[in-house]
Amino acid sequence: MKHILTITGASGSGKDTLVDCLLCLNHNEPENIPPLALEFCDQWHPYVAFRELISHTTRLPRDGEKEGSAYYFVDFDTFEEIEKVEETEYAGNYY
């Protein structure tokens, strides 16, 4: 059985660090694991199988964001056709 774990929190609360740690636990390491995350990821656990789910958005990429890393950037019509677990609208863009 597959489950979806959602990590939510305020900006700067450590969501990305926590996700990096979870991915690191099963050697599915992101390219740039922050040093803080590495401190907690010193041992692989055989029962952990986390993968990051990449969201879609209708907003434009920010400087440094790469397609398929933070988000898949799509137009509104494409967004409407995608099968979603959930969706929200913020500042005129859909996520």
Side-chain angles (χ1 to χ4, degrees), residues 33-91:
I33 297 176
L36 178 63
L38 286 174
E39 290 179 27
F40 299 100
C41 296
D42 59 354
Q43 192 169 7
W44 176 74
H45 192 286
Y47 302 110
V48 177
F50 288 104
R51 290 185 334 185
E52 186 172 11
L53 189 117
I54 308 297
S55 298
H56 290 75
T57 182
T58 59
R59 75 164 172 78
L60 297 174
R62 296 179 184 140
D63 285 344
E65 286 185 324
K66 296 177 183 175
E67 174 74 18
S69 182
Y71 292 98
Y72 294 110
F73 301 97
V74 298
D75 60 35
F76 180 78
D77 290 336
T78 303
F79 185 85
E80 284 295 301
E81 294 174 4
I82 296 169
E83 183 179 342
K84 302 168 203 68
V85 174
E86 67 174 336
E87 67 179 85
T88 190
E89 184 267 334
Y90 177 76

Side-chain angles (χ1 to χ4, degrees), residues 6-28:
T6 303
I7 309 295
T8 58
S11 179
S13 64
K15 300 179 298 291
D16 288 336
T17 300
L18 177 58
V19 168
D20 290 341
C21 286
L22 293 172
L23 292 173
C24 180
L25 283 173
N26 66 330
H27 290 235
N28 188 9

